[in-house]
Amino acid sequence: MSSEKSTTLFIEHFQPECRFLHYYLKEMEGYQGLKKAFGMSPSEVIEEVKSSQLRGRGGAGFPTGMKWGFIPKQSSVPKYLVCNADESEPGTFKDRDLMRYTPHLLLEGMLIGAYAIGARSGYIYIRGEYAREAVLLQEAIEEAYAARYLGSNIQGSGFDFELTVHRGAGAYICGEETALLNSLEGKRGEPRVKPPFPAQAGAFGGPTIVNNVETLACVPFILRRGGPWFAQLGKLEKSGGTRLFCLSGHVKKPGLYELPAAGVTLRELIYTYGGGILNDRKLKAVIPGGSSAPVLTAEEIDVVLDVEPLMKIGSMLGSAGVVVVSEDYCVVKLIQRIAKFYAHESCGQCTPCREGCRWMEEVLERIEHGKGRTQDLNLLLQIADNIQGKTLCALGDAAAGPVASFVKKFQSDFEAHIRGGKCPN
Amino acid sequence: MPQLTVDGRLVEFKLGEKVIEVAKRAGVFIPYFCYHPGLSVVAQCRMCAVEIEKMPKLQTACSTLAAEGMVVHTRSEKALQNQKSVMEFLLINHPLDCPICDKSGECDLQDFSYDYGDPYSRYTEERRTYIDVDMGSVIQKNMNRCIHCTRCIRFGEEIAGIREMVALQRGNQTEITTIEGKPLETQYAGNYADICPTGSLGLKDFRFKKRVWMLKKTPTICEGCSRGCNMEIHQDSQVIYRCVPRENLEVNRYWLCDEGRFHFRSYQKDRVLFPYFKGKAVDWSLALESCRNILRGKKLLVLVGSDLTQEEITLVQEVLALDHAGSLLFHFGTPGMSSVSEDGDADGILKRKSKTSNLHGLEHLGIRGWDGLGAQAEALLVVRAGRAQWGKLPSLPSVGLGVFQESEAKQLDVILPGLNFTEKDGSVMNFQGKLQFFRRAIAPQGQSKGLAELFMMLRRDKASEVGVAS
């Protein structure tokens, strides 16, 4: 990997002073994308975003332009644009910096999105733990209202948009878009049966688009410089733009790295950008896309960090939260902790997730504490298999996939726990 | 009409129908817990997941819309494995206390465990337990048995119109309970027990009373109001243990109010089961003779309860025409209500203002409501089935035929005990003009007799006069 400087969109603006409107207008071509959008028809805006190859940055990687295209042009009920700022996937911390340092980028992205889909009101659903970011967002929104970038007849365009920050109460599941909408409506935060999809009936029954913070923050650049320009930033056909990779765990230089989408391998991210493993220990495992991504071993890191390449080897890019684990750490303990998280965060609606996640956690806890039995590994794989693909939402998969992958890839570590009657680490 | 294939059977469907409904019509039963035809679809239990060709994952039949050309496999290897795994998940934390559970024998969880589950459990961890709250006078809760299907929550919100059942906590610790642990307020609480697919919500009234497989079931019509909800009487050895709703989409759908459900209890205590004279039990010959003395040759005021069947009313009319020409005949039933024009919806759910089952039938036969006056009569004859209520009776020599409470006995000079709705066959007409038939569930209690028999006994001496063998 060459160390030449590639184009970045966000990271040079991750400074405290960048959050203010005057900085945004002066240094970041602020609200120029919106201006351009107002000169286009909504469907032209959607086409522009389609041509940018922007794909959702929340985890699923769905093409954003196509998603916007699902919204019916005519609707008897109000349409909504909702920003998913719940960023609850463990190992992910990109949206926080985007909101902290470049909130107007998000606001402009939302305005463009709202214009494209015909929404007059929008919400930013921010996780409860991001108390400070919620305040900063609110300040940015007030700035935007004062400067007539929000409210009625925005910049004389005739377009109205009201934006509200809604704080969550601390549930992982509220990052799932339909659970988020339930929570937004004041209901219990649990996913809805799909169909209907949010684009048909979402917030308050109206056609709704839910986009991740990073996704929306990309949109102003697409309008300013054109979809094709954005698309060429990415290194694979289907993935345009840059991506914020959240590197954490046992690396020398953890942090946020903005790199071309599909532009680096996992090895390059860890060793070239991250400076290698802490204390120069050996790499044991990597979780490439937030804790719900199936684990990779040290032999599997020559994979390009993007949606399809990772899917091909049985994992996923998810939210691009890369968690690095050195040989010093017990992988059984790690997956037990991850399983505990998902059991705790399961909403409890559907049977396999409610019962299965807890069961996996209990078995893993026994193994970690030396009370495992040889048949437990098979049992874990079977429980995981009985959850995967059979739950109401993706949380079941998020819990079962990692467990199955850890058991399969680090079988000897589990067996050592069972044989020795204790954790060898 | 569009068609799809379920387990090799081609079946037509209407647009908007769900796979589970279409399959049922084709004779293919897909097991389910959270689905209920009268409630919204949540697809939570995952039991009904089936394999549909061209779809990578299993699809829940309750939430999947039927589509033209769809090919559904409900017993494919993947579908069977899912059913087995859902049963395992549901049972790992279930107490498996069927031997002491009232639901046993009519429990979906129990039945599907036999049909689709595995006989062995692989679960060796500690089971989840809850501490139960008191849910009021109708429902007994046992949260440990709950499988979190949320039917009760949806019933409250969607049918009973009250948000009182909720899910607290989340994940594995989710508890289905009332808000702040308050007792249930709805007057339809009994339905919670009916729709609960396990023994988690049971009727307090039925608790530990009878194993359900001992019960004999008779279709009947509730006599509680003019809706005429379809229900079933469950009895064993001539003792009624409970009433449950019977599906009738045009009348009561799947539901029953508590007043109607427990109405049978009012006949199980303080009922006049012997001939009475001046408030005291007497033998039949004395009672009959007293009746004849009061009624013979008199111009009568006849008050018939709007709880009587069409057949009984017709009989009364015929007897009056024979023996008491010129008598005045009126109906009574709900104090303050003298005609069907005053009947109406009482709560927006099932209950009607008329508190008897056959007001509309009686008016259909041309009988008008009693205005409460004594009129120009020499004696009073009251005929009723037990439910109809009167205001104040005129002070005339009086005879009562039918079902009366001990507390009412003093208001009538003579009482001949008759049958209530559980002891006879008959038909009643509900507020929609629908004539509904019901069957006798138990034998007459005490010395109660049918109205025809009572009239026969009263008219015996008259019968001999016209040459009929006595």
Side-chain angles (χ1 to χ4, degrees):
Chain A
M1 173 73 195
S2 62
S3 56
E4 75 189 62
K5 196 168 167 4
S6 51
T7 311
T8 57
L9 306 175
F10 310 112
I11 207 126
E12 66 266 30
H13 303 294
F14 283 179
Q15 305 293 336
E17 69 274 16
C18 302
R19 71 183 179 92
F20 297 107
L21 181 61
H22 61 81
Y23 177 93
Y24 186 59
L25 291 172
K26 200 164 146 235
E27 307 291 336
M28 293 180 71
E29 302 171 58
Y31 291 101
Q32 292 303 309
L34 177 66
K35 198 175 160 192
K36 204 154 164 206
F38 283 155
M40 300 159 74
S41 74
S43 43
E44 283 169 347
V45 174
I46 293 179
E47 286 310 310
E48 194 68 55
V49 174
K50 276 185 187 163
S51 74
S52 74
Q53 305 294 347
L54 172 63
R55 59 203 305 174
R57 301 290 168 79
F62 193 80
T64 305
M66 196 193 286
K67 196 178 196 178
W68 288 5
F70 292 153
I71 289 280
K73 287 206 168 47
Q74 303 298 326
S75 170
S76 55
V77 285
K79 297 187 250 188
Y80 296 94
L81 177 66
V82 178
C83 171
N84 185 344
D86 198 57
E87 190 161 64
S88 39
E89 183 71 19
T92 315
F93 42 85
K94 61 193 177 61
D95 296 342
R96 181 175 57 182
D97 277 7
L98 281 167
M99 291 185 285
R100 198 181 268 178
Y101 300 122
T102 59
H104 283 286
L105 208 47
L106 172 59
L107 264 49
E108 187 179 350
M110 287 194 77
L111 279 158
I112 296 168
Y115 176 74
I117 64 167
R120 295 287 173 272
S121 24
Y123 294 91
I124 299 174
Y125 184 95
I126 187 168
R127 67 178 300 184
E129 291 87 339
Y130 285 179
R132 192 168 147 240
E133 286 71 20
V135 172
L136 297 181
L137 270 180
Q138 190 58 45
E139 284 176 15
I141 287 173
E142 276 155 28
E143 273 189 314
Y145 267 106
R148 307 210 58 179
Y149 286 110
L150 282 173
S152 55
N153 192 18
I154 292 166
Q155 299 293 311
S157 64
F159 177 69
D160 312 329
F161 189 61
E162 303 289 336
L163 186 57
T164 311
V165 176
H166 184 100
R167 288 186 62 193
Y172 173 82
I173 192 62
C174 290
E176 197 278 344
E177 59 178 3
T178 55
L180 182 154
L181 294 175
N182 269 345
S183 174
L184 185 66
E185 290 178 16
K187 297 176 184 155
R188 199 175 147 82
E190 30 183 47
R192 301 174 179 173
V193 190
K194 288 176 274 190
F197 291 92
Q200 303 160 276
F204 312 101
T208 303
I209 289 292
V210 183
N211 282 142
N212 170 259
V213 174
E214 188 187 347
T215 314
L216 289 164
C218 287
V219 171
F221 297 105
I222 294 169
L223 267 287
R224 287 175 209 163
R225 307 201 192 150
W229 174 84
F230 188 86
Q232 59 83 32
L233 292 178
K235 301 304 173 204
L236 275 178
E237 199 190 336
K238 284 188 190 163
S239 302
T242 62
R243 271 202 92 124
L244 288 166
F245 292 97
C246 320
L247 185 61
S248 66
H250 306 139
V251 283
K252 287 181 181 158
K253 294 193 285 177
L256 266 185
Y257 291 90
E258 185 178 1
L259 297 163
V264 287
T265 64
L266 192 48
R267 181 182 298 280
E268 285 163 348
L269 183 70
I270 297 169
Y271 288 97
T272 311
Y273 294 94
I277 310 301
L278 209 58
N279 302 327
D280 292 317
R281 303 294 294 181
K282 275 206 293 204
L283 175 67
K284 175 84 178 181
V286 195
I287 299 169
S291 63
S292 59
V295 72
L296 299 177
T297 62
E299 289 73 47
E300 294 175 295
I301 59 170
D302 289 306
V303 61
V304 173
L305 270 176
D306 201 40
V307 181
E308 283 78 17
L310 278 165
M311 199 186 287
K312 205 179 280 175
I313 61 165
S315 188
M316 60 187 208
L317 180 61
S319 57
V322 180
V323 183
V324 179
V325 185
S326 88
E327 61 183 340
D328 294 341
Y329 197 79
C330 173
V331 283
V332 176
K333 190 177 170 69
L334 177 60
I335 187 59
Q336 180 236 316
R337 188 61 192 79
I338 292 175
K340 189 185 173 82
F341 173 81
Y342 285 106
H344 182 67
E345 295 296 343
S346 164
C347 81
Q349 259 193 111
C350 75
T351 307
C353 182
R354 179 184 65 241
E355 306 293 340
C357 291
R358 180 66 200 278
W359 193 0
M360 291 194 301
E361 180 208 336
E362 288 169 330
V363 174
L364 285 165
E365 200 171 304
R366 266 201 294 108
I367 297 174
E368 168 61 14
H369 291 105
K371 299 217 169 72
R373 295 172 300 226
T374 40
Q375 65 267 36
D376 281 342
L377 298 187
N378 232 341
L379 178 63
L380 279 173
L381 290 176
Q382 284 172 7
I383 301 172
D385 190 49
N386 286 341
I387 298 172
Q388 267 180 309
K390 300 179 180 77
T391 50
L392 189 73
C393 77
L395 194 140
D397 296 344
V403 170
S405 70
F406 271 87
V407 172
K408 281 182 200 153
K409 291 181 181 175
F410 299 105
Q411 199 179 336
S412 57
D413 292 76
F414 286 87
E415 283 165 355
H417 280 73
I418 293 168
R419 261 198 320 275
K422 64 180 170 68
C423 178
N425 289 56
Chain B
M1 263 179 115
Q3 292 180 317
L4 57 70
T5 311
V6 185
D7 291 354
R9 301 181 202 187
L10 204 59
V11 53
E12 294 188 331
F13 64 88
K14 289 194 287 287
L15 287 178
E17 273 189 298
K18 303 288 169 52
V19 170
I20 203 167
E21 297 155 356
V22 180
K24 191 177 177 187
R25 220 177 36 242
V28 177
F29 179 74
I30 300 171
Y32 58 83
F33 292 106
C34 68
Y35 169 78
H36 188 287
L39 302 173
S40 63
V41 170
V42 289
Q44 289 177 347
C45 74
R46 316 308 283 179
M47 187 66 184
C48 71
V50 293
E51 199 166 351
I52 298 177
E53 285 183 14
K54 293 183 191 143
M55 294 194 185
K57 288 182 185 176
L58 293 177
Q59 301 291 317
T60 44
C62 67
S63 66
T64 307
L65 284 169
E68 172 70 43
M70 205 176 234
V71 182
V72 182
H73 302 283
T74 74
R75 307 211 123 238
S76 73
E77 200 185 321
K78 267 169 87 180
L80 289 175
Q81 171 54 32
N82 177 68
Q83 289 165 348
K84 201 167 154 180
S85 108
V86 171
M87 283 316 307
E88 179 177 44
F89 282 139
L90 289 177
L91 291 174
I92 57 175
N93 278 305
H94 189 82
L96 303 175
D97 57 348
C98 307
I100 57 150
C101 177
D102 285 308
K103 196 77 172 185
S104 185
E106 57 176 11
C107 174
D108 290 345
L109 190 66
Q110 188 183 44
D111 292 347
F112 295 164
S113 172
Y114 280 102
D115 293 344
Y116 305 96
D118 198 283
Y120 303 101
S121 174
R122 298 185 289 179
Y123 194 68
T124 54
E125 324 303 326
E126 196 175 321
R127 275 168 213 266
R128 171 185 64 213
T129 52
Y130 298 89
I131 293 165
D132 289 318
V133 296
D134 183 48
M135 306 251 304
S137 58
V138 180
I139 295 292
Q140 176 68 42
K141 187 170 178 238
N142 186 327
M143 185 61 209
N144 292 341
R145 294 174 183 154
C146 177
I147 59 167
H148 304 86
C149 74
T150 70
R151 275 185 189 177
C152 52
I153 297 177
R154 284 174 283 146
F155 172 80
E157 286 177 11
E158 296 165 16
I159 307 298
I162 181 168
R163 196 187 171 95
E164 53 184 353
M165 296 293 296
V166 288
L168 294 186
Q169 306 297 331
R170 69 180 181 201
N172 201 266
Q173 294 303 310
T174 304
E175 180 175 3
I176 310 293
T177 183
T178 54
I179 295 175
E180 294 175 349
K182 285 182 188 157
L184 295 171
E185 282 173 32
T186 176
Q187 296 180 5
Y188 291 80
N191 296 287
Y192 287 128
D194 298 333
I195 59 173
C196 182
T198 76
S200 186
L201 300 175
L203 292 179
K204 272 188 178 164
D205 185 69
F206 184 65
R207 196 177 187 213
F208 301 149
K209 294 273 168 40
K210 205 70 184 168
R211 303 307 335 215
V212 296
W213 53 86
M214 310 289 283
L215 296 170
K216 272 68 88 180
K217 301 168 182 179
T218 311
T220 193
I221 302 297
C222 176
E223 68 163 0
C225 77
S226 62
R227 179 170 295 274
C229 291
N230 292 205
M231 65 180 193
E232 247 173 26
I233 290 174
H234 291 182
Q235 60 90 12
D236 182 48
S237 305
Q238 306 302 321
V239 178
I240 298 174
Y241 288 93
R242 65 174 180 185
C243 289
V244 298
R246 198 154 48 89
E247 176 184 327
N248 186 331
L249 296 179
E250 289 166 9
V251 180
N252 54 307
R253 306 193 68 219
Y254 314 90
W255 321 118
L256 196 58
C257 73
D258 293 343
E259 188 180 344
R261 181 186 302 266
F262 300 117
H263 174 57
F264 74 94
R265 289 281 180 214
S266 70
Y267 296 124
Q268 292 180 334
K269 57 178 197 294
D270 304 329
R271 172 179 165 192
V272 173
L273 288 169
F274 302 93
Y276 267 44
F277 179 69
K278 302 281 186 198
K280 291 218 174 62
V282 294
D283 64 28
W284 279 96
S285 57
L286 174 58
L288 285 168
E289 199 45 48
S290 311
C291 285
R292 290 183 195 118
N293 289 338
I294 293 171
L295 301 176
R296 188 168 358 204
K298 301 275 172 52
K299 188 187 173 198
L300 302 180
L301 169 62
V302 183
L303 299 179
V304 286
S306 47
D307 51 359
L308 295 174
T309 64
Q310 294 296 77
E311 293 74 16
E312 287 171 322
I313 293 297
T314 310
L315 180 63
V316 171
Q317 284 176 318
E318 281 174 13
V319 169
L320 291 181
L322 281 173
D323 296 348
H324 304 279
S327 293
L328 299 160
L329 176 63
F330 299 106
H331 66 70
F332 70 98
T334 311
M337 182 177 296
S338 57
S339 87
V340 290
S341 62
E342 292 162 52
D343 187 20
D345 183 45
D347 65 356
I349 307 173
L350 292 178
K351 292 185 181 186
R352 306 278 307 171
K353 285 181 185 155
S354 166
K355 288 290 147 206
T356 53
S357 54
N358 202 25
L359 174 67
H360 296 256
L362 262 63
E363 297 228 344
H364 187 73
L365 291 174
I367 299 167
R368 287 184 298 119
W370 179 43
D371 59 7
L373 302 174
Q376 302 288 315
E378 300 159 311
L380 172 67
L381 174 64
V382 178
V383 189
R384 76 146 179 192
R387 172 80 179 167
Q389 298 295 313
W390 58 73
K392 190 176 181 306
L393 293 178
S395 45
L396 292 169
S398 58
V399 170
L401 305 181
V403 181
F404 299 89
Q405 293 297 111
E406 298 268 4
S407 57
E408 297 162 337
K410 284 223 164 74
Q411 297 180 52
L412 295 156
D413 295 325
V414 193
I415 289 175
L416 301 184
L419 306 184
N420 68 29
F421 78 108
T422 68
E423 300 161 333
K424 65 192 177 193
D425 298 324
S427 61
V428 288
M429 186 181 284
N430 81 345
F431 76 104
Q432 298 155 307
K434 204 180 275 289
L435 194 63
Q436 304 194 99
F437 298 83
F438 59 88
R439 300 308 304 261
R440 161 177 163 162
I442 56 170
Q445 303 293 293
Q447 294 187 8
S448 310
K449 298 180 192 307
L451 196 56
E453 192 175 356
L454 293 179
F455 276 132
M456 181 276 285
M457 291 165 81
L458 277 174
R459 302 182 72 244
R460 229 169 146 153
D461 56 345
K462 190 173 279 276
S464 54
E465 285 166 23
V466 294
V468 179
S470 56

